[in-house]
Amino acid sequence: MNRKYFTGLFIIAGLICCGQKDSKNEDEKEESVETILPTEDMEVSTEMLRTVDFEHELVSNGRISAQQVAELQFLSSSAGNVPVCIFAKNGDRVSAGDAIAMLDTFQLSNSYRQSEDNLQKAYLDLQDVLIGQGYSIDDSASIPPEMLRLAYIRSGYNSSKIQYDLAKYNLDNAILRTPIPGTVANLFAKPYCAINTAEPFCTIISEGMPEVDFNILENELPLIKTGDRVTVQSYASPDIESAGSIASINPSVDKEGTVRVKAYVRPHPKIFNGMNVRISVFRSLGKQWVIPKSAVVLRTGKQVVFTCKDGQAAWHYVTTGLENATHYTVTSKTLQEGDEIIINGNEHLADGTNVKKIDD
């Protein structure tokens, strides 16, 4: 009797525990459903699907360089190559012909005056040689060319003229002048300190439109052409931007499968020669369906766009084509012209979710 009693109690207790477990699972399921399905309408932003001109954007990296750069060097090897005066500093704007620096001219001036005297003496010797042959230097047209050539050699006039020209050249170039207008850069020499003549004394960067060189893949060639609009942005300061256009496309593919492109952009006070920049090339590809990138979400690994109709969201599988920084083109026909595309608030939507449109 006792054995049957305890067996009955065990069965009743088991039934009670199972009932409590099932009740707990039902409660968790209800809470889960309530968490996924919102009780209120989801707030979304929308825009109408229209056929518009799509501007494709191709992005690359490049480097800014001036169209014209002059590297200035002292050409004289005299006077120890020590600049006694420096008239400019980095960042100064100069005009063509402006003096940048000057060497000590004492030895150069003496060499010039000495070579000038030697040239005058050689001229007198030349006259003596010609008079000895019965000719006058004033009537050089009547002198046989071979005799005149020998007279120049015997008098030493040619050698003296060469030394004179060299001394004058060194004296003239003791003052370093810029051949182009622009901005002074890479000037690190100091007065009365010897300089290395194998390296430029400074660089003059022209102030015209700078150029930017960048590479694109050969399969991107059909997407660009000369004259396409470009913008460049500094990596150091993304808010610094300058616009321009493609000037040339090199008709050669290198071993990496890229093509070199050159563009000219407007000058900017904070875009410097040699700066690394981000280049965007824009080209209009005609009328197409265009949607913001924010309108596309992934569901089960596929691209989905939600539309809003009669207060409910409806999803559509789409296929996107080209893209730029903010938009995609739509190549599939799952949408229709005039559909109201949900562009914000679509992260947690499902097909048939109640939605409420709001202004951005």
Side-chain angles (χ1 to χ4, degrees):
M1 175 67 76
N2 290 338
R3 182 177 180 182
K4 293 181 179 179
Y5 177 74
F6 284 113
T7 301
L9 288 177
F10 180 77
I11 293 172
I12 293 171
L15 292 173
I16 292 173
C17 289
C18 290
Q20 291 177 345
K21 184 176 180 181
D22 291 342
S23 176
K24 184 177 181 181
N25 288 340
E26 288 295 329
D27 291 341
E28 290 179 353
K29 185 176 181 181
E30 290 178 4
E31 290 178 0
S32 178
V33 171
E34 289 176 357
T35 301
I36 295 174
L37 298 177
T39 57
E40 298 181 356
D41 293 349
M42 299 288 287
E43 294 183 341
V44 298
S45 301
T46 64
E47 71 174 36
M48 301 298 288
L49 179 63
R50 292 283 185 262
T51 301
V52 298
D53 284 325
F54 177 70
E55 198 169 44
H56 178 256
E57 179 182 10
L58 189 152
V59 179
S60 183
N61 301 317
R63 184 183 295 271
I64 292 289
S65 60
Q67 287 192 44
Q68 189 176 17
V69 176
E71 293 184 338
L72 307 188
Q73 289 179 279
F74 279 109
L75 302 178
S76 172
S77 59
S78 304
N81 286 314
V82 176
V84 295
C85 292
I86 298 177
F87 306 111
K89 63 182 184 299
N90 288 326
D92 284 355
R93 294 184 177 180
V94 292
S95 301
D98 283 356
I100 304 299
M102 182 178 69
L103 297 175
D104 182 9
T105 60
F106 178 76
Q107 293 184 20
L108 297 174
S109 297
N110 281 343
S111 296
Y112 172 73
R113 288 195 296 269
Q114 184 176 2
S115 63
E116 189 176 29
D117 288 343
N118 291 336
L119 181 62
Q120 291 176 356
K121 292 178 181 178
Y123 183 75
L124 295 176
D125 292 340
L126 174 63
Q127 286 183 320
D128 291 341
V129 172
L130 290 175
I131 291 172
Q133 298 293 328
Y135 297 99
S136 171
I137 189 66
D138 296 330
D139 191 18
S140 59
S142 63
I143 304 174
E146 182 62 21
M147 183 175 293
L148 184 62
R149 185 182 69 83
L150 292 174
Y152 273 110
I153 295 174
R154 288 174 182 172
S155 64
Y157 183 86
N158 285 343
S159 298
S160 298
K161 183 66 166 61
I162 292 172
Q163 294 300 319
Y164 170 81
D165 291 341
L166 179 61
K168 185 176 186 302
Y169 178 81
N170 287 336
L171 182 60
D172 291 342
N173 285 279
I175 299 178
L176 190 63
R177 299 182 183 275
T178 172
I180 63 172
T183 303
V184 179
N186 302 326
L187 199 166
F188 306 113
K190 296 181 179 180
Y192 305 104
C193 294
I195 58 175
N196 184 1
T197 56
E199 297 179 355
F201 182 81
C202 70
T203 304
I204 307 298
I205 301 172
S206 66
E207 296 182 344
M209 294 183 67
E211 61 187 35
V212 55
D213 288 320
F214 60 98
N215 290 335
I216 63 169
L217 298 175
E218 59 179 303
N219 59 4
E220 295 173 329
L221 271 174
L223 300 176
I224 69 167
K225 63 180 179 62
T226 303
D228 283 349
R229 183 172 67 90
V230 303
T231 62
V232 297
Q233 287 181 311
S234 165
Y235 283 111
S237 303
D239 58 319
I240 297 175
E241 183 176 293
S242 182
S245 61
I246 292 179
S248 64
I249 301 172
N250 186 37
S252 177
V253 180
D254 61 21
K255 61 182 180 180
E256 284 81 23
T258 62
V259 177
R260 188 169 179 176
V261 182
K262 179 183 291 185
Y264 293 144
V265 296
R266 288 192 297 269
H268 191 286
K270 293 187 178 180
I271 293 182
F272 301 139
N273 184 57
M275 179 178 284
N276 293 311
V277 292
R278 176 182 183 270
I279 301 104
S280 297
V281 182
F282 298 95
R283 184 178 181 187
S284 177
L285 298 181
K287 300 286 186 181
Q288 302 190 44
W289 280 351
V290 180
I291 59 174
K293 286 187 173 181
S294 60
V296 181
V297 294
L298 292 179
R299 294 289 189 271
T300 64
K302 296 181 179 180
Q303 291 179 314
V304 171
V305 168
F306 285 95
T307 60
C308 177
K309 186 175 182 181
D310 299 329
Q312 287 189 333
W315 82 8
H316 307 266
Y317 290 113
V318 296
T319 303
T320 58
L322 298 172
E323 65 178 292
N324 55 28
T326 57
H327 289 77
Y328 291 116
T329 62
V330 177
T331 58
S332 59
K333 300 300 181 182
T334 53
L335 299 173
Q336 294 182 355
E337 184 90 5
D339 281 347
E340 199 167 6
I341 305 297
I342 297 176
I343 60 174
N344 284 311
N346 54 357
E347 295 86 358
H348 305 293
L349 292 182
D351 193 42
T353 302
N354 293 328
V355 295
K356 179 175 66 176
K357 292 186 293 183
I358 59 172
D359 295 330
D360 290 336

